C-alpha cells in the first residue's frame, strides 16, 4: 500500500504520528523557505508542509498541479486552522516524498468552479471526474444504488440478470442491433428494457424480481437523453395495483432517508391522469405549488366528456377566444402590480418558438378591487372579475390566459405555470413532493396510421372494468375524425407513474397475463397474428402455462439521481456520458471498423 | 395482494388461522371424496385439502398441473406428517378457491429429475426456471452477488457504471459491434470488459471501484462459453500486488462464509506460473490433491532454463522416449494392482482425440518391491525404480508416463492427472481449495505473425525488476526459431490468477500507469504509434495527467457461481443462456431484421 491513511482522515488525535499519504497536488504555495501543498484524494485534502531542507529538493524537482505524490511525515497541529475542511486542524510535516507520476498542466482547473467548458470537460472526462462537484454526484448515485438494493433485498426481491443480446421487436422506440457473425445475416437487438424477461420470470415463479440494468434506445437525442441509460427494474407477482404503489413509495421514501436524510412521512398523493391534465396541463405535475389551471374552454375530454364549453368568454367579440379550440388560465399570486414591461416580457416569453403561442391575455386583480386587462375593450370589469374568479384569483393576483389549439395551449400554460412557479420561488430545490399519476389512457391515437398505439407498452392491462370494452369492440377506427368517439379512446390502463417535483421518475403497470387478452392487444395495435407470434411468440407461449397476475415498475435511475442531486442534467450523474449526437468524445466513438470486421460479419455499408 | 402467506411459510403455530395462498398446482391426488393438492410457489409447497363439498366443484373444474390457484382456508395439523418439507406438519383445509390461470400440460415435468431434454428445456426456459434445481442456482447466484457487494462496500469500493456502447479496439478477442444510425458508417462496440474505463476511474481518483457487469466476446463458442457473461470487476489505486491479493482472497472467503457457510481459515496458497506448469502441467492446478508431475525430459523453461534433460530415460534404445521433446510422469497412488484391462483402458483414454497421445507407458511399483513395466525390455528393474522414484512413487503406486511434443504432452499429463484424481475420489466436491498463480509470462509468442502478444492484456505491467528488460530491448524477433532466447520471453508479468479447484475464477494484474511504458507495450505488440493513438489515445492521454499506481482483478461471476453450486456448467446458473451457436432458442434470436432497419442504419448484408 502506498499510504497508511487517506487525505481525509487525519485529525488532531493523530498528532505526532508518522504517516504516509498519497494523492494529487491540488495547490502549491511557496512562502520564502517553506512550501505548503494541498494533497487531494477521493476522501479529502490534507495540507503538507515542506520545511527548509526539503524546499531545496523541491526547487530542483518542482511540483505541478495534479502531480501524483507520496509523502511520509509527522502529523502536527496547525497554528492557522482551517475550519472549512475536516482535516483543517492538522498538517503533515513532510519528512520525505516521492513523485509517483508527473502531470501535464490540465486543460481546465480541477475545482468546483472550473474554467473548463462543456466540450473540453467531456473530452477530458477523466479529469472532470476528479472535480468534487462530479464526484459528489457519482457518490450520490452509488448511495441510491445501495439504498435501493438494500430495500429490495429486505423485501424479498431477487436480482436476476436478463440477457443483453436479444431479439429485435421494434414497437415504439428503435432498437440498437448487433450483427451476429455465427448466424450470418441475423441480428441481435440490445434491450430497450427487460420488460418481457421480467414477465417471464413472473411466469417462472420468481415473484419479486429486480435489477439495476442498462437499457438502450436508438432515438434522436433530445437534450438530456442518452442512448444507454439505467433503470431500477422491478416486477412482482400475485399483486394488485395497490400493493405495487405501497411497495415502491416505500422504496423511494427509503432512498430519501438513506441518501438525503429526509423523513418523507406524508402519504404520497395520487391523481388521475385526467385530473393532472385538467388541473396542471401535463401528466407529471409539480405539486410543490398550486396555481392550477382554469379550463375556460377545452376540447380535452374529462370523464369522457368536454366540461368547459367557453360560456364565460365566448361571444364578446374577441375573436382570439371565440375561435380558439382551448382557452386556459392561471392566477399568478401577488403579481397584479406587474408593470407593462413585465407583462410585455411575459408575452414575449410565451411567443418564443419553444412555447409557440400567439400572445398572452392578462387580468390584474388590483388591490383596490378593480380589474384591469389587456382585453378591456371586449370584456366589462364584471366579466373580468368572473373570469378571474373562475381562475381562482384573489386580490393582488395576475391572471394569465392562453388560447389556441388544445394540445399546444395546454403544454404552453403548463410551461408558463412552471415558469411563474420558478420566478415566484415556489419550486424550492430542497422540497420534495411525490405524486402517483394513475389511470392513463390505454391507447393513444396515431394519426399517420389511423390506428391505436400503446401509451405505455403493449403488455399493460386495461383497468379491470375496461377489459370487456376492449374485448367486445373492434379496434378498427372507421371514421378518423371521430376517433375520440371510439370506445377504445376511453379505455383506461392499469398503469401508474411516479412523479417527483414535476419529473417522471418511474412508471409501471399491472400486466396482461392471459393469452387471449394479450392477443387482442397485439391486434388492437395493428399486428397480424403472424407478426405477433414472430415477435412475441415466446411470451404468448409462456402465458399458456400458468401465468400469474403480475405487475411492476421501472425507475429512471439517471433521472432519479439527478433530481435528488438537485441538477437538471442526467449527464452530470453518469461517469462516461455521450453527447447529443450519441458520441463519446473522449473515446471518439462510434468510429469506423476494419475491413476484416465487415468481412466476418458479412455486412457492408450502404451509405446514402 | 392475492395471498396472506407464501407456500413455504405455514407451521403448526398457525393452526386454525384463516389464510389465503396463491401458487401453482404441483400435484393433484384424489382419494374418493376428497382431493389433496400440493400448491407450489417460490418459497415452498403447502398441501391443500379439498373436502367433499368442494370436491364436487373440482369435478366440474378439474385442476391440472401448473394451474395458477388462489385458495382460502383454515390451517390444520396433518394426521400424516411429512418430515421432508418445512410445511409438512400442516395442511390447508380449503374453504374457497379461484383458478387464476389455467395451464396447458407442460412439455416436461417441473421436478428435480425432470423428463425434459436439454433442447426442450431451453426452448421452454420459463418452465425450466420453475424447477427447484434451477431456482436453487439462481438463488445462489443472487447470494454471491449480494455477498460480494456487501464485502466490497464495507471495504470502501464504489459501484460505478461504465458504458456499453464504446469503441471497437479489437486486440485479442473479437468485438460485437453496433451500427450507429446517427453517425452513419460508424460503429460502437460492446465492451469485452470495462478494463480501460476502470483504469480511467483510477486516474480520476476513485481509488476503489467495482461493478458486477455484463461483458461481450464474439468468439467461436467452446462448450460452456457464452457470448455475454458477467464479471465482478474491481480496481484499486495506490496498491501493490500484495494489497490486491489480500483484499480479494478476503472477498472470496467472505463469499464462502455467506453462501456456503464455509469458514475458509487457511492461508491461500501461492504458486508461480512456472511451478504450476512444472508440477501440474497447467496454469490452474487443482490442488485438492497431489500427484505432481515428474519432468523426466522437457523443452519447457523453468527459471529461464531447461532443467530436465532426460538423462534418466535417454539412450536405453526406447525410441519413443529418446525422440520425444518431453517425457512426463505421474504416480497414481495405490494403483499398482491395475489389471491389464485397466491399463489398456487408460491407454485408450490417452489416445482419444481430445487427449491425442500415441500411447501410455506405465510402471507398477508392486507390493513385493518389484517393478513391472510396459517397457521392461528397454529398462532394467533398477532403472524402473529410479524412474518411479523420480516420479515420487511409493510401493503400491502406478507410474503413468507420456511422451511427445512439449505442449500437447504437458496438457495430456495434466488431463490424465485430473482424470486419475477424479477416479480415485481425490477431487471432492465439498472441498474448496484456493490458489493464487502468479508471475505469468508478460508475452506469448505468436508464430503466425512472428511477434509478441500480451498473455493477459496490453495494460499489464511487467514485474518491477523486468521493466528495464522491456524498455532496453527491441521487441523485434529476428530469428523466429530462437524466440525463446529473446529477452522478452523471460519477462514476467505483475499478474495473478485466482484458481479454485482447478478452475480459474479470477485474474488480474498491476497495470502500467506511465505513458512511455504503455507506448513501449503497444509497440511490442506490433502496433504502430498511429494505431496505438487511434485505439487507445484516450488512455495514453490520461496517463499524461497524473495517473496513480493501480491494479485490479476481474472474477468470472458465472463460473464462480457454478463451482460454488457444484456444477460443471455455467449455463445452469444463467437465467436465460444461449446455446453453443450463440442462439437464444426461446426467443429465436438472433433473427432477421426489417428493411427499414437496414435502411436507417445504412448497411446491407454481404452474405458469402
Amino acid at each position: 500500500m502506498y499510504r497508511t491513511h487517506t487525505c481525509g482522515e487525519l485529525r488532531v488525535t493523530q498528532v505526532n504520528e508518522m504517516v504516509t499519504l498519497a494523492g494529487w497536488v491540488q495547490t502549491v504555495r511557496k512562502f520564502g523557505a517553506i512550501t505548503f501543498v494541498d494533497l487531494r484524494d477521493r476522501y479529502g485534502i490534507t495540507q503538507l508542509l515542506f520545511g527548509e531542507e526539503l524546499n531545496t529538493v523541491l526547487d530542483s524537482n518542482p511540483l505541478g498541479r495534479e502531480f501524483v505524490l507520496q509523502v511520509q511525515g509527522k502529523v502536527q497541529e496547525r497554528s492557522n486552522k482551517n475550519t472549512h475542511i475536516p482535516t483543517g486542524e492538522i498538517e503533515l510535516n513532510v519528512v520525505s516524498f516521492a513523485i509517483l507520476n508527473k502531470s501535464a498542466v490540465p486543460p481546465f482547473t480541477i475545482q468546483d468552479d472550473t474554467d473548463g467548458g462543456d466540450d473540453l470537460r467531456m473530452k477530458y472526462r477523466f479529469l472532470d471526474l476528479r472535480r468534487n462537484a462530479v464526484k459528489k454526484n457519482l457518490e450520490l448515485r452509488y448511495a441510491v444504488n445501495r439504498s435501493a438494493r438494500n430495500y429490495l433485498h429486505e423485501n424479498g426481491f431477487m436480482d436476476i440478470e436478463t440477457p443483453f443480446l436479444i431479439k429485435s421487436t421494434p414497437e415504439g422506440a428503435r432498437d440498437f442491433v448487433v450483427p451476429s457473425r455465427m448466424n450470418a445475416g441475423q441480428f441481435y437487438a440490445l434491450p430497450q428494457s427487460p420488460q418481457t424477461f421480467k414477465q417471464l420470470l413472473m411466469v417462472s415463479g420468481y415473484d419479486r424480481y429486480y435489477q439495476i440494468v442498462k437499457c438502450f434506445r436508438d432515438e434522436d437525442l433530445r437534450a438530456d437523453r442518452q442512448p444507454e441509460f439505467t433503470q431500477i427494474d422491478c416486477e412482482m407477482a400475485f399483486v394488485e395495483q395497490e400493493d405495487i404503489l405501497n411497495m415502491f413509495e416505500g422504496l423511494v421514501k427509503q432512498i430519501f432517508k438513506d441518501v438525503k436524510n429526509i423523513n418523507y412521512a406524508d402519504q404520497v398523493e395520487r391523481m388521475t391522469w385526467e385530473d393532472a391534465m385538467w388541473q396542471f396541463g401535463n401528466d407529471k405535475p409539480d405539486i410543490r405549488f398550486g396555481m392550477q389551471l382554469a379550463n375556460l374552454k377545452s376540447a380535452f375530454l374529462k370523464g369522457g366528456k368536454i366540461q368547459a364549453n367557453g360560456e364565460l368568454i365566448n361571444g364578446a367579440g374577441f375573436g382570439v377566444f371565440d375561435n380558439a379550440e382551448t382557452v386556459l388560465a392561471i392566477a399568478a399570486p401577488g403579481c397584479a402590480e406587474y408593470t407593462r414591461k413585465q407583462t410585455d416580457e411575459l408575452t414575449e416569453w410565451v411567443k418564443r418558438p419553444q412555447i409557440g403561442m400567439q400572445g398572452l391575455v392578462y387580468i390584474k386583480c388590483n388591490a383596490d378591487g378593480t380589474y384591469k386587462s389587456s382585453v378591456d375593450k371586449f370584456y366589462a370589469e364584471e366579466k373580468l372579475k368572473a373570469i378571474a374568479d373562475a381562475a381562482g384569483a384573489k386580490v393582488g393576483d395576475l391572471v394569465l390566459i392562453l388560447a389556441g389549439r388544445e394540445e399546444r395551449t395546454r403544454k404552453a400554460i403548463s410551461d408558463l405555470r412552471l415558469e411563474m412557479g420558478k420566478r415566484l420561488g415556489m419550486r424550492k430545490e430542497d422540497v420534495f413532493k411525490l405524486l402517483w399519476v394513475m389511470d392513463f389512457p390505454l391507447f393513444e391515437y396515431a394519426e399517420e396510421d389511423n390506428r391505436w398505439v400503446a401509451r405505455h407498452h403493449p403488455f399493460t392491462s386495461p383497468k379491470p372494468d375496461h377489459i370487456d370494452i376492449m374485448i367486445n369492440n373492434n379496434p378498427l377506427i372507421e371514421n378518423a375524425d371521430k376517433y375520440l368517439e371510439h370506445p377504445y379512446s376511453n379505455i383506461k390502463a392499469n398503469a401508474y407513474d411516479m412523479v417527483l417535483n414535476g419529473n417522471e421518475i418511474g412508471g409501471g403497470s399491472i400486466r396482461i397475463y392471459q393469452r387471449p387478452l394479450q392477443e387482442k392487444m397485439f391486434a388492437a395495435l395493428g399486428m397480424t397474428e403472424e407478426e405477433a407470434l414472430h415477435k412475441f411468440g415466446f411470451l404468448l407461449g409462456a402465458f399458456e402455462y400458468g401465468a400469474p397476475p403480475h405487475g411492476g415498475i421501472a425507475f429512471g435511475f439517471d433521472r432519479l439521481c439527478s433530481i435528488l442531486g438537485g441538477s437538471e442534467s442526467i449527464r452530470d450523474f453518469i461517469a462516461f456520458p455521450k453527447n447529443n449526437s450519441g458520441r463519446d468524445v473522449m473515446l471518439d466513438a462510434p468510429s469506423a471498423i476494419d475491413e476484416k470486421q465487415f468481412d466476418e460479419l458479412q455486412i457492408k455499408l450502404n451509405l446514402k
Side-chain angles (χ1 to χ4, degrees), chain A residues 58-84:
Chain A
L58 279 189
D59 284 342
S60 46
N61 298 280
L63 299 177
R65 278 199 285 139
E66 302 305 318
F67 275 37
V68 186
L69 205 60
Q70 184 187 36
V71 293
Q72 290 79 37
K74 191 184 266 193
V75 183
Q76 63 188 31
E77 198 164 352
R78 282 204 218 178
S79 48
N80 197 358
K81 291 181 181 170
N82 178 348
T83 54
H84 299 299

Side-chain angles (χ1 to χ4, degrees), chain A residues 278-439:
Chain A
W278 205 256
Q279 295 171 21
F280 296 92
N282 73 58
D283 60 5
K284 43 178 201 275
D286 185 345
I287 57 165
R288 280 175 298 180
F289 66 107
M291 217 191 289
Q292 277 97 332
L293 275 50
N295 288 262
L296 302 175
K297 191 174 173 183
S298 179
F300 177 68
L301 293 172
K302 193 183 173 199
K305 292 202 187 77
I306 293 169
Q307 299 182 343
N309 59 15
E311 54 188 7
L312 205 55
I313 47 171
N314 280 348
F318 184 43
V320 172
F321 283 1
D322 284 352
N323 303 324
E325 195 174 70
T326 301
V327 181
L328 300 168
I330 54 172
C335 297
E337 312 260 313
Y338 265 29
T339 61
R340 176 62 184 264
K341 196 178 153 202
Q342 284 176 296
T343 54
D344 281 355
E345 189 270 329
L346 276 182
T347 305
E348 288 313 307
W349 194 89
V350 303
K351 287 165 92 172
R352 296 178 318 147
Q354 301 95 307
I355 308 295
M357 289 286 101
Q358 301 288 327
L360 173 71
V361 171
Y362 64 83
I363 303 172
K364 293 180 172 177
C365 310
N366 294 322
D368 60 6
T370 63
Y371 291 81
K372 181 77 194 143
S373 159
S374 53
V375 288
D376 281 353
K377 67 172 152 178
F378 299 107
Y379 298 99
E381 195 162 3
E382 199 170 310
K383 196 77 176 180
L384 292 179
K385 180 180 184 321
I387 297 172
D389 285 351
K394 291 186 298 290
V395 168
D397 290 359
L398 176 71
V399 179
L400 301 169
I401 309 173
L402 297 176
R405 297 281 299 173
E406 174 78 41
E407 202 174 332
R408 170 171 291 194
T409 309
R410 198 165 286 280
K411 177 164 189 323
I413 196 89
S414 164
D415 288 346
L416 182 60
R417 173 183 170 270
L418 291 173
E419 177 67 17
M420 292 309 296
K422 195 166 110 190
R423 292 186 185 191
L424 297 172
M426 299 160 98
R427 302 178 69 189
K428 294 192 171 44
E429 244 194 43
D430 55 346
V431 174
F432 293 96
K433 285 283 263 182
L434 291 166
L435 171 72
W436 286 112
V437 177
M438 299 159 65
D439 300 355

Side-chain angles (χ1 to χ4, degrees), chain A residues 489-544:
Chain A
S489 70
N490 282 320
I491 299 178
K492 293 291 190 286
N494 223 339
Y496 32 80
D497 276 359
M498 185 175 259
V499 174
L500 174 58
N501 292 1
N503 300 279
E504 182 205 324
I505 57 168
S509 64
I510 298 295
R511 324 298 184 185
I512 297 170
Y513 67 102
Q514 309 92 334
R515 178 163 181 156
L517 188 59
Q518 187 65 65
E519 285 176 329
K520 182 81 184 182
M521 171 59 91
F522 288 142
L525 302 177
M527 265 187 239
T528 64
E529 259 180 70
E530 199 192 356
E531 249 182 292
L533 272 177
H534 172 69
K535 287 181 175 174
F536 298 110
F538 61 96
L539 189 69
L540 291 171
F543 284 178
E544 296 267 17

Side-chain angles (χ1 to χ4, degrees), chain A residues 209-262:
Chain A
Y209 144 93
Y210 87 97
Q211 210 181 173
I212 298 184
V213 63
K214 274 282 172 75
C215 302
F216 305 85
R217 274 177 214 175
D218 183 13
E219 291 301 291
D220 296 326
L221 299 176
R222 282 183 274 155
D224 218 30
R225 284 274 176 118
Q226 291 279 319
E228 52 175 308
F229 55 97
T230 306
Q231 284 187 351
I232 307 178
D233 192 52
C234 309
E235 196 81 2
M236 301 173 77
F238 299 117
V239 289
E240 286 151 314
Q241 179 172 286
E242 190 62 30
D243 305 311
I244 299 212
L245 301 187
N246 289 332
M247 179 61 74
F248 292 101
E249 57 189 63
L251 168 64
V252 176
K253 285 178 177 184
Q254 186 64 49
I255 291 172
F256 275 127
K257 182 83 199 113
D258 291 343
V259 175
K260 306 288 292 183
N261 200 23
I262 289 174

Side-chain angles (χ1 to χ4, degrees), chain A residues 148-191:
Chain A
R149 287 184 188 280
N150 285 344
Y151 177 86
L152 292 167
H153 179 78
E154 281 152 24
N155 282 285
F157 286 78
M158 259 175 88
D159 181 346
I160 303 178
E161 291 169 64
T162 52
F164 278 69
L165 297 172
I166 65 167
K167 182 169 178 160
S168 185
T169 56
E171 173 67 26
R174 225 180 262 109
D175 284 329
F176 280 106
V177 298
V178 182
S180 165
R181 181 182 55 86
M182 289 177 72
N183 303 271
Q186 301 191 324
F187 292 74
Y188 301 101
L190 300 178

Side-chain angles (χ1 to χ4, degrees), chain A residues 35-157:
Chain A
T35 299
F36 289 106
V37 170
D38 277 350
L39 193 69
R40 187 197 70 235
D41 67 10
R42 175 179 151 198
Y43 310 92
I45 282 182
T46 298
Q47 178 167 294
L48 311 178
L49 168 63
F50 291 79
E52 281 191 38
E53 201 175 322
L54 282 177
N55 224 2
T56 327
V57 186
L58 279 189
D59 284 342
S60 46
N61 298 280
L63 299 177
R65 278 199 285 139
E66 302 305 318
F67 275 37
V68 186
L69 205 60
Q70 184 187 36
V71 293
Q72 290 79 37
K74 191 184 266 193
V75 183
Q76 63 188 31
E77 198 164 352
R78 282 204 218 178
S79 48
N80 197 358
K81 291 181 181 170
N82 178 348
T83 54
H84 299 299
I85 59 171
T87 63
E89 295 197 85
I90 59 93
E91 65 192 359
L92 197 69
N93 194 338
V94 178
V95 173
S96 67
F97 73 98
I99 296 173
L100 298 177
N101 218 340
K102 293 189 176 183
S103 172
V105 177
F108 50 84
T109 56
I110 311 296
Q111 284 169 344
D112 283 9
D113 50 344
T114 179
D115 56 358
D118 227 40
D119 291 349
L120 204 58
R121 287 189 291 112
M122 279 302 136
K123 184 162 159 50
Y124 294 91
R125 182 63 169 172
F126 50 85
L127 293 180
D128 200 30
L129 287 170
R130 282 189 193 162
R131 296 193 309 116
N132 206 40
V134 184
K135 194 188 70 180
K136 257 174 32 198
N137 293 347
L138 294 190
E139 283 172 346
L140 179 137
R141 186 180 177 107
Y142 177 47
V144 176
N145 178 321
R146 182 89 190 144
S147 171
R149 287 184 188 280
N150 285 344
Y151 177 86
L152 292 167
H153 179 78
E154 281 152 24
N155 282 285
F157 286 78

